[in-house]
Amino acid sequence: MAVANIKVSETPLVLYALRRADDALILGHRLSEWCGHAPALEEDMALANMGLDLLGQARELYTYAAKVEGAGNDEDKFAYLRDVRQYRNLLLLEQPNGDFARTMARQFFYAAFADLYWRAMMASSDPTLAAIAAKSEKESAYHLRHSSEWIVRLGDGTEESHRRVQDAIDDLWAYTGEMFAVDDSERGLIDAGIAIDPAALKSRWLKTVTGVISEATLRLPSNNWMQQGGRSGSHSEHLGHLLSELQSLQRTFPGATW
């Protein structure tokens, strides 16, 4: 039996919460794909725990979006019953894991942003978002520390590990600009003090990233052209494959419970 996609009333605040929830869900799912495949048992556990952190963030944000929307949706419907074009996550986060170096490069770029973002969002005039931010910042601080250490170990390690992580940085760099983009819907929330302007975080993000990259004896690409589209629902082919796996149980057995 085919399961219809839900309809979402994308008011500015609902859309804002969904974008951040989608970021957490999609990256958390990517990290879960490493379970049982990481290069060491300790790292297997670390990646799984970071994935669980992100899943927790996604649940809180989806629940809040559902409350604000007031249309009968909930966290499960948002996660399992939306079409690929209804997802608003960053393109960076849906990119395939690739090898371990690529996963760490993706994690590092995002965690360096997320740590600054959630810290700033603790001052949001929206008490629910501020509370979510206070919890999420503690988690993102660990995610940043963990991925930074791996970037240095890989970059300043063997010739092979250096090459792999440099290739990952070169490939993923064009997806980082989207983290700092803002549309009209989000601008209104920024003006109201509900959201923060991510562009204001870019210089500090770049300082953090440059410092770690330099310590790792790596280099950042000089190309400033950036990919866009995830926030408006235009995704790479990778997200469709990810969602087919993520949503398979709910799509096959609608409303199934354990």
Side-chain angles (χ1 to χ4, degrees):
M1 180 178 65
V3 181
N5 296 319
I6 62 170
K7 295 181 179 180
V8 182
S9 301
E10 292 184 339
T11 61
L13 186 53
V14 170
L15 181 58
Y16 188 78
L18 287 177
R19 284 171 170 174
R20 272 65 198 179
D22 290 345
D23 284 346
L25 179 69
I26 297 306
L27 181 57
H29 185 81
R30 281 296 188 216
L31 293 180
S32 77
E33 293 173 344
W34 275 103
C35 191
H37 300 282
L41 180 59
E42 183 178 6
E43 193 57 30
D44 205 297
M45 295 176 66
L47 290 170
N49 283 328
M50 288 191 289
L52 287 172
D53 288 341
L54 291 163
L55 181 60
Q57 294 173 21
R59 292 189 65 187
E60 290 181 341
L61 288 161
Y62 283 140
T63 298
Y64 184 50
K67 179 181 178 181
V68 173
E69 185 191 29
N73 290 319
D74 57 24
E75 61 180 89
D76 289 334
K77 289 181 180 178
F78 282 136
Y80 298 126
L81 297 179
R82 282 184 297 155
D83 182 68
V84 61
R85 292 298 298 270
Q86 293 176 293
Y87 277 76
R88 302 308 179 95
N89 58 278
L90 296 167
L91 294 175
L92 172 67
L93 307 181
E94 68 195 47
Q95 299 307 302
N97 287 332
D99 59 22
F100 185 69
R102 183 181 173 90
T103 290
M104 281 299 114
R106 184 189 62 203
Q107 187 72 20
F108 171 62
F109 282 148
Y110 178 70
F113 168 78
D115 188 46
L116 293 170
Y117 170 78
W118 288 123
R119 197 179 310 157
M121 278 295 292
M122 290 167 63
S124 170
S125 62
D126 184 306
T128 301
L129 290 178
I132 293 173
K135 175 179 178 293
S136 300
E137 193 281 325
K138 296 180 179 66
E139 296 165 343
S140 62
Y142 165 70
H143 297 184
L144 175 58
R145 183 170 67 251
H146 181 269
S147 57
S148 296
E149 290 172 353
W150 269 111
I151 293 296
V152 173
R153 290 173 67 181
L154 294 168
D156 197 29
T158 66
E159 181 178 341
E160 177 73 6
S161 69
H162 179 96
R163 179 187 64 79
R164 285 177 179 264
V165 73
Q166 184 64 66
D167 287 348
I169 289 169
D170 292 343
D171 186 44
L172 295 174
W173 178 250
Y175 295 100
T176 60
E178 192 177 26
M179 295 187 291
F180 306 99
V182 170
D183 61 10
D184 291 341
S185 171
E186 203 162 301
R187 179 60 62 187
L189 297 176
I190 293 170
D191 293 341
I194 295 172
I196 57 98
D197 189 348
L201 307 176
K202 189 169 184 178
S203 62
R204 282 180 287 166
W205 174 84
L206 189 59
K207 181 179 180 180
T208 297
V209 169
T210 301
V212 172
I213 293 296
S214 176
E215 184 181 354
T217 69
L218 298 163
R219 56 171 176 76
L220 289 176
S222 57
N223 180 19
N224 290 322
W225 182 83
M226 293 291 164
Q227 293 274 7
Q228 301 284 339
R231 289 299 192 221
S232 60
S234 297
H235 295 279
S236 67
E237 68 275 16
H238 307 299
L239 184 61
H241 295 297
L242 183 154
L243 291 178
S244 68
E245 179 181 341
L246 175 68
Q247 299 180 342
S248 60
L249 182 63
Q250 182 59 241
R251 298 284 186 176
T252 306
F253 303 101
T257 57
W258 296 98

